[in-house]
Amino acid sequence: MNSLNYHFDLIRHLVRCDFIVRYKGSVLGVLWSLMLPLAQLLVLVFLFQRVVPLDIDAYPAFVFSALVPWTWFSTCLGSSGNLLVSNRGLVRRPNFAPATLIIVNILSNMLNFIVVMPILIIMLILFDRTITLALLSLPLLILIQGILIVGLSLIISTLNVFYRDMQHIISIVLMLLFYMTPIFYQPQAVGENFRVLYTWNPLTVLIESYRAIFFYGIFPELNSLLFTGATSVVVCGIGYFIYNRYLHEVIDTI
């Protein structure tokens, strides 16, 4: 119990420090966490409402309901590559679990996710979207996405210690994944030949589930969500296996 309390307090302290240091010295402070999703939103709304109209009702709210969880996902994975390499002192410290850095990174970025949430709710209300009981599904979606991010981050951060190209590969993959996930378009627009890629993509299911509870006010499709939850657990298990298998070599290499 004392060990559990110690690790809980340690994670809480590191998350707080990471969140404060991230915006220390900046004029806007935590408001910078709003800038990336809002800037992306403005670009997408301009492109797909003015330049190439997609004719989707309440398009800003439609996009933002998917862009917020995507930003949490992409920011965590984009920064996971350097977590172990850039924190050599902590990684080499006795009785410190390097995986703690991954948990801290995910929770710290989740705070940004929470900060943006009121803006999303206000936008939904402005576009006459009803806030329903489906919002009670939000903790479950956050949990499933968090487990998926943990697994992928463990894989990326571990492999990047030995193959520094990993962080650059992930940047490219995230760019491709952004366009392969129905964030700024409806999944029905995808051609039949490629629809299977979206059906079996756990991130697509998560994004559509967020959009269901926020934008459409309905509960997410249960079977797809169960599949995504199971997939996230498997990915997390694989990530932990790789991390645990190479942990000693990671410490020696760093």
Side-chain angles (χ1 to χ4, degrees):
M1 183 61 70
N2 290 333
S3 176
L4 184 62
N5 289 335
Y6 168 76
H7 284 94
F8 178 79
D9 290 339
L10 176 63
I11 291 173
R12 182 177 61 180
H13 173 73
L14 290 176
V15 169
R16 180 175 177 272
C17 290
D18 182 71
F19 191 77
I20 292 175
V21 169
R22 185 177 301 178
Y23 303 108
K24 186 178 181 180
S26 65
V27 176
L28 295 180
V30 72
L31 291 178
W32 280 113
S33 63
L34 305 175
M35 295 303 161
L36 176 59
L38 288 176
Q40 288 179 307
L41 176 65
L42 290 174
V43 171
L44 293 173
V45 168
F46 174 75
L47 283 177
F48 298 110
Q49 268 200 320
R50 301 293 183 183
V51 182
V52 188
L54 295 181
D55 297 324
I56 298 175
D57 292 335
Y59 188 68
F62 173 87
V63 173
F64 207 50
S65 60
L67 199 56
V68 172
W70 163 260
T71 301
W72 179 31
F73 176 84
S74 61
T75 303
C76 286
L77 294 196
S79 59
S80 62
N82 276 323
L83 283 178
L84 301 182
V85 176
S86 60
N87 290 279
R88 293 180 176 87
L90 284 175
V91 171
R92 292 174 174 176
R93 187 173 180 178
N95 300 322
F96 179 82
T100 302
L101 296 170
I102 292 166
I103 303 299
V104 168
N105 184 52
I106 293 170
L107 293 178
S108 180
N109 284 298
M110 190 177 74
L111 290 179
N112 290 333
F113 176 89
I114 294 172
V115 168
V116 178
M117 197 65 64
I119 306 298
L120 173 58
I121 298 298
I122 292 172
M123 185 175 295
L124 292 169
I125 294 173
L126 290 176
F127 283 92
D128 296 324
R129 294 289 151 174
T130 304
I131 306 301
T132 68
L133 291 177
L135 202 60
L136 295 175
S137 304
L138 181 60
L140 177 60
L141 298 184
I142 292 176
L143 176 62
I144 294 174
Q145 183 173 348
I147 293 173
L148 179 63
I149 296 173
V150 168
L152 293 174
S153 295
L154 283 170
I155 296 171
I156 295 167
S157 59
T158 302
L159 294 181
N160 190 65
V161 172
F162 309 105
Y163 310 102
R164 299 300 171 88
D165 293 332
M166 193 69 185
Q167 59 186 329
H168 304 294
I169 294 173
I170 292 303
S171 298
I172 297 173
V173 170
L174 286 173
M175 180 184 66
L176 296 175
L177 196 57
F178 176 79
Y179 293 102
M180 293 179 62
T181 306
I183 295 170
F184 58 90
Y185 57 89
Q186 294 174 319
Q188 295 85 347
V190 178
E192 288 291 338
N193 294 335
F194 299 97
R195 193 159 294 178
V196 64
L197 297 176
Y198 291 78
T199 303
W200 295 98
N201 180 359
L203 188 58
T204 294
V205 175
L206 277 171
I207 292 297
E208 282 299 292
S209 296
Y210 279 109
R211 182 171 281 145
I213 67 173
F214 285 123
F215 188 76
Y216 296 110
I218 60 176
F219 285 94
E221 207 280 317
L222 183 58
N223 290 334
S224 298
L225 199 57
L226 288 175
F227 166 76
T228 301
T231 302
S232 298
V233 171
V234 171
V235 171
C236 190
I238 294 172
Y240 180 76
F241 173 80
I242 293 174
Y243 161 80
N244 193 56
R245 168 67 177 79
Y246 294 102
L247 180 57
H248 292 297
E249 295 179 40
V250 165
I251 295 174
D252 292 340
T253 303
I254 288 179

